[in-house]
Amino acid sequence: IRLFEFHLDVIPVDNHCFTVPANNCFYNCFANNNIMDVYTISRALLKLEMLFGIPNKVSVAGKISKEVNSLLDEFKDTVGSRFFNDEPYFDHIFIKDRSVDLVTPLLTQFYYGGMIDDKYDATYGLLKLPPGVIFKDKKRVSNNVILTSPKDDVYANIKGLTCDEANE
């Protein structure tokens, strides 16, 4: 048995929706003409297709997305079909780059605290814990957590950070 690392390089965003972490990709590709992120994204999609099969249809929108898809096709030819799952899990993959949709990033909160608020619908600083998250403290009666409590040092330190900064 030969073991090796197989990093997926994909962050699940929602059910059947994911993103590839390529910080400053738009800036790198369009301002600096640095296409290293195209390689990173193509490699991540290749790994995804190796695990879940090659989808029946791939649609692209945007110049960089076309380059990603072309490089992905080259990777698939190099790897060979025997390494891919026979039955595709996804029928259709849609690859789009930021040049097609410049507004969406302005509609999302970039900070960790804001993302928690969007995802878990915190109301007036109270967060209802998602199913499966429990505290070991049996004295707790409620599943609500106060997010904006001045006593919560962790939240106070990370609420204004981006995801990458909060992760560090």
Side-chain angles (χ1 to χ4, degrees):
I1 297 175
R2 193 175 112 209
L3 299 176
F4 57 94
E5 289 188 32
F6 193 77
H7 297 287
L8 192 53
D9 302 325
V10 171
I11 297 174
V13 178
D14 207 346
N15 194 21
H16 295 199
C17 185
F18 55 87
T19 186
V20 177
N23 295 339
N24 301 317
C25 182
F26 183 78
Y27 177 76
N28 290 338
C29 290
F30 290 98
N32 291 337
N33 290 321
N34 178 349
I35 60 165
M36 193 59 194
D37 288 333
V38 171
Y39 174 82
T40 302
I41 295 166
S42 300
R43 187 185 70 201
L45 290 174
L46 176 74
K47 290 178 181 180
L48 193 70
E49 289 187 2
M50 289 174 79
L51 288 174
F52 296 105
I54 299 172
N56 298 322
K57 184 175 181 185
V58 176
S59 298
V60 295
K63 177 185 170 200
I64 299 300
S65 297
K66 289 177 185 173
E67 291 178 23
V68 165
N69 196 38
S70 294
L71 189 56
L72 177 60
D73 288 340
E74 288 179 30
F75 285 164
K76 286 190 274 194
D77 289 342
T78 303
V79 169
S81 61
R82 68 186 178 121
F83 291 103
F84 292 89
N85 192 343
D86 291 336
E87 290 294 320
Y89 181 77
F90 300 105
D91 290 326
H92 190 173
I93 288 186
F94 187 77
I95 307 169
K96 68 177 183 173
D97 63 54
R98 194 49 57 212
S99 67
V100 177
D101 179 18
L102 294 171
V103 177
T104 299
L106 303 175
L107 301 175
T108 351
Q109 299 198 46
F110 291 103
Y111 298 101
Y112 190 69
M115 286 190 228
I116 289 175
D117 183 49
D118 285 346
K119 179 74 177 169
Y120 297 110
D121 194 26
T123 307
Y124 303 112
L126 274 174
L127 166 74
K128 183 170 174 77
L129 291 177
V133 176
I134 55 171
F135 284 100
K136 291 182 180 179
D137 183 6
K138 302 291 183 197
K139 296 175 189 173
R140 262 187 108 73
V141 178
S142 172
N143 269 352
N144 290 329
V145 177
I146 299 176
L147 287 178
T148 56
S149 169
K151 296 177 186 175
D152 188 351
D153 294 332
V154 175
Y155 184 75
N157 289 329
I158 66 171
K159 69 180 178 181
L161 302 177
T162 63
C163 279
D164 290 338
E165 293 167 339
N167 189 34
E168 289 177 20

